[in-house]
Amino acid sequence: MSEAPVSWHARLAELGVRLPPVATPVASYVPAVRSGQLVYTSGQLPFVDGGLRRTGKVGGSVDPEEAAADAKVCALNALAAVDELVGLDAVARVVRVVGYVASAEGFGGQPRVVNGASEFLGRVFGDAGQHARSAVGVAELPMNAPVEVELVVELR
């Protein structure tokens, strides 16, 4: 693993990215939980300014490239949840990413969609952003969102 930058916040700033406010949970859960040296985020939807960027099924009304951009937003929202709980600079590495893609019948490009989250995390964390991953096609997601992403990160 390469040496971490002085600050993950500084790395985000270098990328021109700001952490959004933590998305308000839409049901009975908290945005992130710490267990030992791991933080698990709840599934994050592509909320921007309190609303979904778009709705629908990927491979149907939602283009896979748009959905990949949404997956990046989900990952950013997950990082905001981590930051609020423990501070982003406490993160040693990204351990696991799980992406759920609301898929139109016959759509099989879930890995390409979830790459939006994975590639963003790689840009932020470098080698420490390499992670295990699942990309799962589902029939429906909350609020008709096209994608949902959850993270597991390890703390220093």
Side-chain angles (χ1 to χ4, degrees):
M1 251 184 256
S2 65
E3 189 173 312
V6 173
S7 159
W8 298 126
H9 282 285
R11 180 67 185 133
L12 285 172
E14 288 173 16
L15 294 170
V17 176
R18 293 175 54 185
L19 286 176
V22 176
T24 302
V26 297
S28 184
Y29 61 89
V30 295
V33 172
R34 179 179 181 168
S35 179
Q37 289 303 106
L38 298 175
V39 173
Y40 299 81
T41 71
S42 295
Q44 298 293 314
L45 301 177
F47 284 121
V48 174
D49 297 327
L52 287 174
R53 287 169 45 118
R54 72 189 100 252
T55 60
K57 300 263 196 295
V58 182
S61 64
V62 178
D63 178 80
E65 300 309 315
E66 293 174 329
D70 290 341
K72 173 187 172 185
V73 171
C74 293
L76 184 62
N77 288 339
L79 292 181
V82 170
D83 187 56
E84 182 176 84
L85 183 67
V86 297
L88 195 60
D89 291 335
V91 172
R93 68 165 299 123
V94 179
V95 175
R96 181 168 165 76
V97 172
V98 180
Y100 302 96
V101 180
S103 302
E105 187 173 338
F107 178 72
Q110 293 83 7
R112 194 170 74 241
V113 170
V114 180
N115 278 350
S118 293
E119 292 168 0
F120 170 68
L121 294 167
R123 284 191 298 278
V124 173
F125 294 100
D127 289 347
Q130 294 180 359
H131 52 268
R133 188 180 93 176
S134 297
V136 182
V138 298
E140 300 286 338
L141 285 170
M143 302 174 66
N144 199 28
V147 64
E148 180 174 354
V149 172
E150 59 187 54
L151 302 180
V152 178
V153 299
E154 182 181 8
L155 304 176
R156 299 182 200 278

